Amino acid sequence: MVSIEDFRKSALSFENAVEEPHFEKTSFRINKKIFATFDEKNNRAVLKLNEIDQSVFCASSEMIFYPIPNKWGKQGWTIVELSKVRSEMFEDALRLSYQNVAPKKKK
């Protein structure tokens, strides 16, 4: 299980990540782009995964990870049931979500 305090601490540990409201949810952003949201009412997170990562997480834990059931889900936005997810698995998914949205560093 992942608490909002753990979620917030993890999300804000990434470079330049900030917390801002997003409608009735809390969002975590990098350069004004959302990489994660938290829905306190339903105790769910939504993460921005790429197609491959989304399919891997959803296939391995379909009761914990599943695509948003609309066009956003087809773009990688994935719901995570925070009351069911192991913290290590969530940390991995959150890191990937951040990396998908963060600007790519110049080589």
Side-chain angles (χ1 to χ4, degrees):
M1 178 180 167
V2 176
S3 70
I4 182 56
E5 294 82 18
D6 293 336
F7 182 176
R8 179 177 283 120
K9 183 179 176 183
S10 295
L12 293 175
S13 72
F14 296 117
E15 185 178 356
N16 297 319
V18 296
E19 180 178 344
E20 294 183 16
H22 181 68
F23 298 100
E24 69 281 354
K25 297 177 173 77
T26 301
S27 71
F28 297 91
R29 302 170 188 240
I30 177 75
N31 292 343
K32 301 182 182 180
K33 293 183 179 181
I34 296 173
F35 66 90
T37 64
F38 175 71
D39 179 352
E40 187 170 4
K41 179 180 171 188
N42 295 305
N43 199 32
R44 291 181 186 150
V46 173
L47 305 178
K48 174 65 167 126
L49 301 175
N50 66 35
E51 187 178 313
I52 294 169
D53 293 332
Q54 183 187 54
S55 68
V56 169
F57 279 102
C58 292
S60 68
S61 305
E62 61 188 34
M63 299 301 289
I64 299 170
F65 290 88
Y66 48 95
I68 291 178
N70 61 29
K71 69 178 183 173
W72 293 103
K74 291 180 180 170
Q75 295 175 17
W77 291 101
T78 307
I79 296 171
V80 184
E81 296 290 343
L82 295 175
S83 63
K84 298 176 183 177
V85 69
R86 290 188 337 264
S87 60
E88 301 83 19
M89 185 178 278
F90 181 75
E91 292 283 336
D92 289 344
L94 182 63
R95 179 181 41 77
L96 291 169
S97 180
Y98 172 82
Q99 290 172 344
N100 285 330
V101 176
K104 308 303 179 231
K105 296 192 180 211
K106 294 182 181 178
K107 295 182 180 182

